[in-house]
Each structure stands twice: as C-alpha cells, then as structure tokens.
Amino acid sequence: MVAEGDNRSTNLLAAETASLEEQLQGWGEVMLMADKVLRWERAWFPPAIILTSLLLLPGLNQHGIILKYIGMAKRAINKLLEQKEKKNE
C-alpha cells in the first residue's frame, strides 16, 4: 500500500514537472532575446527600444502611469535637495 501511494505521488510529481517544463519552454526563447537586447548585441537594438518606448508612451500616459512616476521622481529629488540643504547648514 505505501509503495503504491509513493508511486502515485512520484508519477504526479513527474507529470507536473513535465507540464511546467513545457509551459516554460517558450519563455526560454523570450529570455534569450531579452538578454541579447539588454547586451545590445545588434546595432539596431537601441533605436528599436526607443521607437518601442515611444509607441507605449500614449497608453502609459492615458492610465496615469507616467504622471505617477514623475510625481515619485519629484518627491525623491525634493527629499535629496532637503537633505543637501541640511548638510550645508
């Protein structure tokens, strides 16, 4: 009885592992391409990233994401300026 239960759990684990491996297999190619882009292995990657980013800006702005990060940046800059002023005093 115990061996049969162990066998079932082993088979279930193997099936889950195979399923997960199959699901993640496509992401391997995506990760390789992302790595190549981040390392700028091709001369056209930087302009392509800029064109892509520019295409995303209207959508990001529509949802207020850009304004949110601009506000966060302003607060961080003000905090740094205040700290600098305190050090100078």
Side-chain angles (χ1 to χ4, degrees):
M1 280 282 187
V2 175
E4 185 178 320
D6 288 344
N7 193 22
R8 282 184 188 166
S9 64
T10 301
N11 288 340
L12 181 62
L13 182 60
E16 289 175 351
T17 303
S19 173
L20 182 61
E21 184 178 328
E22 185 178 320
Q23 292 172 4
L24 294 176
Q25 192 170 11
W27 283 104
E29 294 177 22
V30 172
M31 294 305 294
L32 287 175
M33 186 57 152
D35 182 57
K36 288 180 181 181
V37 169
L38 292 174
R39 293 175 191 264
W40 290 7
E41 290 184 3
R42 305 262 191 266
W44 54 268
F45 281 158
I49 292 172
I50 292 170
L51 288 172
T52 304
S53 299
L54 290 176
L55 292 174
L56 292 175
L57 285 177
L60 294 174
N61 194 32
Q62 182 179 7
H63 295 287
I65 295 172
I66 294 175
L67 293 176
K68 176 182 175 182
Y69 284 107
I70 289 174
M72 290 170 55
K74 285 181 180 178
R75 286 191 296 276
I77 290 170
N78 287 335
K79 185 176 180 181
L80 290 172
L81 290 173
E82 288 174 6
Q83 289 175 354
K84 185 178 179 182
E85 287 176 6
K86 286 180 182 178
K87 285 183 182 179
N88 290 337
E89 290 178 354

